[in-house]
Amino acid sequence: MARRINGFSLIELMVTLAILALLASMAVPFAELMQQRHKEGELREALRQIRSALDAYRQGVKEGRVEAAADASGYPPNLDALWQGVADKTKPDASKLYFLRRLPRDPFYPDPATSAAETWGLRSYASPPDAPAAGRDVYDVYSLSPATGLNGVPYRQW
């Protein structure tokens, strides 16, 4: 006669536990995948915001609203200029132009204590696209993460 616990046979309980263990083992990788997908969405949005702000800054230079040297590229000297603001040359009260409310962080940067500007790799206008390097201005940003996205492309190349 089979042993019964609370009306269930021992075999029924073992099968139930095995099924629960299998389901739990499938849920953990799915949760990790969802977390990575969420971070990738944040990265895409952060890159879009920063790149749009860099383009708006350059447009402000072209329109004569932002002060720039004659030999300058027209891009900001650093990322902080985008959210700290720059003087609007066309306004007599020297009010500021702001291109971002706040600078987004790279969601894949491991240290939360680091400032948002330091979480990004910087590419100057003078650096080649295949070897980005910081310089006198900020032409583009990229993720410093060595990881690869779900699409197979390294985050540095997004």
Side-chain angles (χ1 to χ4, degrees):
M1 181 176 226
R3 269 190 86 164
R4 298 190 81 59
I5 301 172
N6 290 337
F8 294 100
S9 73
L10 193 55
I11 293 175
E12 289 173 332
L13 287 175
M14 297 291 282
V15 169
T16 303
L17 287 175
I19 290 171
L20 286 175
L22 178 66
L23 290 174
S25 69
M26 291 175 12
V28 171
F30 182 74
E32 290 172 356
L33 176 72
M34 293 306 294
Q35 182 181 15
Q36 183 177 1
R37 186 172 290 156
H38 177 72
K39 279 187 169 184
E40 285 185 2
E42 288 179 7
L43 178 62
R44 277 190 197 91
E45 180 63 20
L47 288 169
R48 187 195 62 74
Q49 286 178 5
I50 294 171
R51 289 172 176 161
S52 294
L54 291 170
D55 291 342
Y57 186 100
R58 183 145 195 269
Q59 186 63 35
V61 169
K62 284 182 178 180
E63 294 170 354
R65 297 180 72 188
V66 176
E67 184 78 40
D71 64 341
S73 68
Y75 289 98
N78 55 50
L79 288 176
D80 290 330
L82 299 174
W83 67 272
Q84 290 176 346
V86 293
D88 186 347
K89 288 182 8 181
T90 62
K91 303 285 183 176
D93 63 350
S95 59
K96 287 188 170 187
L97 288 171
Y98 297 95
F99 302 95
L100 287 173
R101 289 185 182 200
R102 66 171 182 80
L103 185 64
R105 299 178 54 80
D106 180 347
F108 289 100
Y109 197 82
D111 184 8
T114 305
S115 72
E118 294 174 6
T119 64
W120 298 103
L122 305 178
R123 176 181 171 215
S124 73
Y125 187 74
S127 72
D130 56 343
R136 295 180 1 166
D137 58 11
V138 180
Y139 172 70
D140 196 14
V141 295
Y142 58 92
S143 177
L144 296 173
S145 173
T148 299
L150 293 173
N151 62 358
V153 178
Y155 294 130
R156 293 180 66 97
Q157 296 176 9
W158 283 30

